Amino acid sequence: MQRRKITIVAAFAIAAAAALTVWLLVRPSYDDVVQCCQQALAAQYKTDRKGKPAACGDVKVDDYDALVLEAAMDHLGWTDENGEFDETKMLDSVTETP
């Protein structure tokens, strides 16, 4: 009887460890979640939609704020070819005369 309990407990522990390993391997990393959010924000600006995209639900508040700012600057044309903020482009866009 004792041997059977040990076998059952060991089998349960092995199954739990395997399930945890699979879960850890399948779930997306935080970087993957942030990248999906970044893509969703870019698509949102192209279609003039408002609000927080569902893909950004698990992104930390500070990271989300930075992603929104980055997407807005890109949408306004204030970034260079590397995606970095370009002050000259920003100044040119706000001082243009119609």
Side-chain angles (χ1 to χ4, degrees):
M1 186 71 159
Q2 184 69 13
R3 187 174 179 163
R4 185 174 178 171
K5 284 182 183 178
I6 292 172
T7 304
I8 291 171
V9 170
F12 179 75
I14 291 170
L20 179 62
T21 301
V22 168
W23 180 76
L24 289 172
L25 291 174
V26 173
R27 73 181 182 137
S29 70
Y30 184 71
D31 289 341
D32 293 337
V33 172
V34 168
Q35 187 175 13
C36 287
C37 176
Q38 194 172 28
Q39 292 170 353
L41 285 169
Q44 180 170 306
Y45 271 105
K46 290 178 183 174
T47 60
D48 291 329
R49 289 181 286 158
K50 306 285 186 242
K52 187 175 185 176
C56 299
D58 292 332
V59 176
K60 296 174 188 171
V61 174
D62 289 344
D63 292 340
Y64 176 72
D65 291 345
L67 290 172
V68 168
L69 184 58
E70 178 185 344
M73 288 189 306
D74 189 50
H75 179 71
L76 292 168
W78 296 354
T79 55
D80 61 16
E81 58 279 348
N82 298 323
E84 299 292 323
F85 173 68
D86 186 333
E87 185 178 352
T88 304
K89 288 185 175 187
M90 180 199 67
L91 291 173
D92 287 346
S93 73
V94 297
T95 59
E96 289 177 354
T97 55

